[in-house]
Each structure stands twice: as C-alpha cells, then as structure tokens.
Amino acid sequence: MNDWSITLPPWYGMHPIVTHFPIALFPTALLFIALSIVWKRFRLAFCIVSMILLTIAAIGSVVAVATGSEARIHTAIPLEADTVMSHHAQMAASFRTFNSLFTIVYAIFILLALVKTKLGEKIFLPASILLLGIGCLLLWQLTVTGHLGGRLVHEFGVHAKIY
C-alpha cells in the first residue's frame, strides 16, 4: 500500500517554495496600483487589493530571507558560487527591508489619500505615480535577487535540501 501522506520539508527546505510568493505577488500589487491610477471608478478596490498583495509579499520576503539564511547553513556551496551567494543574500535582505517599508508607506498613503477630502484627491495621482516608480525600482531589485538565486541553482547546482 502506498503512503500518500504529505509532509512539509524542514524549515531550510522551504526556501525554494516561499521565494516565489514575493516574486509573484509584488509585481501583481504594482499592477493593481497602476490600475488604481487609471481606473478611478474602482480605485478603492484596487488600492485594497494592492495593499493585501503587498502585505503578503512583505511577509513572504521575510520568510524567504529567514529560510534562505537557514538553507545556506545546511547546503554545500561551491567555492566559485560564494560571491553570487553573498550578493544574493545581501540583495534579498535589502529587498525584505525596503519592501516592508514600502508596504507601510503605501498603507499610510492609502489611509490619507482615500479619505474623502480635497487634499486626498489632490495628492492621490502624483503620490501614486511616485510610489509606482519606487515600486518599479524595488521590482528591479527583486528581479536581480531572483536572477542570482536562479544562477545559484542552474549554474552552480546549489539546491536547498527539501527532506
């Protein structure tokens, strides 16, 4: 008889799984920020969706860095991959911090701008465009971080132990 039970990998083995949450959710959140700029009728809904996605992406980036740090301890890293690994870890930690700050700033902005006041209406468009620009810079950082992780796996054969 087959054992079809599902077991989760150890904490350090979760890294390949959890890294994909911020990679998928952060750009999707930026898309909804852009939609909130363009489509005024659904602005509130798009802002709420983007806030939810940013929050989950921020939590995902914290978990990704934590599992990545642990995976680094439990994984054999070839000497020639050490520089790429260090750069990947630094970029990931930096993204985690800036993504968390971006999410907090966006939450404050949403509260201030979406309150039905004249000031909220005046600042929404320029502030949204500015935040979208900053988000695109963070997306570039996330892309470089992911690329470095991909190099570790596909170029150097580094794999987190999943069991």
Side-chain angles (χ1 to χ4, degrees):
M1 180 174 271
N2 291 334
D3 181 15
W4 293 96
S5 63
I6 297 174
T7 59
L8 290 174
W11 179 249
Y12 54 85
M14 297 291 287
H15 186 69
I17 299 167
V18 298
T19 56
H20 293 91
F21 285 98
I23 290 170
L25 297 175
F26 188 78
T28 306
L30 295 182
L31 173 66
F32 277 96
I33 292 172
L35 288 172
S36 75
I37 294 169
V38 176
W39 209 345
K40 190 174 181 177
R41 181 175 176 197
F42 298 107
R43 181 169 286 163
L44 178 62
F46 289 145
C47 288
I48 291 169
V49 169
S50 62
M51 190 64 242
I52 292 167
L53 292 171
L54 284 172
T55 302
I56 298 169
I59 293 167
S61 65
V62 168
V63 176
V65 170
T67 57
S69 297
E70 194 68 21
R72 190 174 184 180
I73 295 168
H74 295 278
T75 306
I77 312 293
L79 187 58
E80 61 271 11
D82 193 52
T83 302
V84 175
M85 176 64 80
S86 294
H87 196 142
H88 174 66
Q90 290 169 354
M91 292 286 286
S94 175
F95 177 78
R96 173 203 57 206
T97 302
F98 289 128
N99 181 28
S100 298
L101 288 172
F102 181 80
T103 302
I104 292 166
V105 168
Y106 188 73
I108 293 168
F109 163 70
I110 294 277
L111 291 173
L112 293 176
L114 292 181
V115 173
K116 299 292 184 188
T117 65
K118 294 285 184 192
L119 177 63
E121 291 174 16
K122 287 181 182 180
I123 67 169
F124 183 84
L125 189 59
S128 292
I129 292 169
L130 175 65
L131 286 168
L132 186 59
I134 293 168
C136 287
L137 291 174
L138 285 172
L139 180 58
W140 170 82
Q141 182 180 17
L142 178 61
T143 302
V144 171
T145 304
H147 172 72
L148 292 169
R151 282 189 65 201
L152 288 167
V153 172
H154 300 290
E155 185 179 330
F156 299 106
V158 176
H159 297 280
K161 296 176 183 176
I162 59 172
Y163 50 86

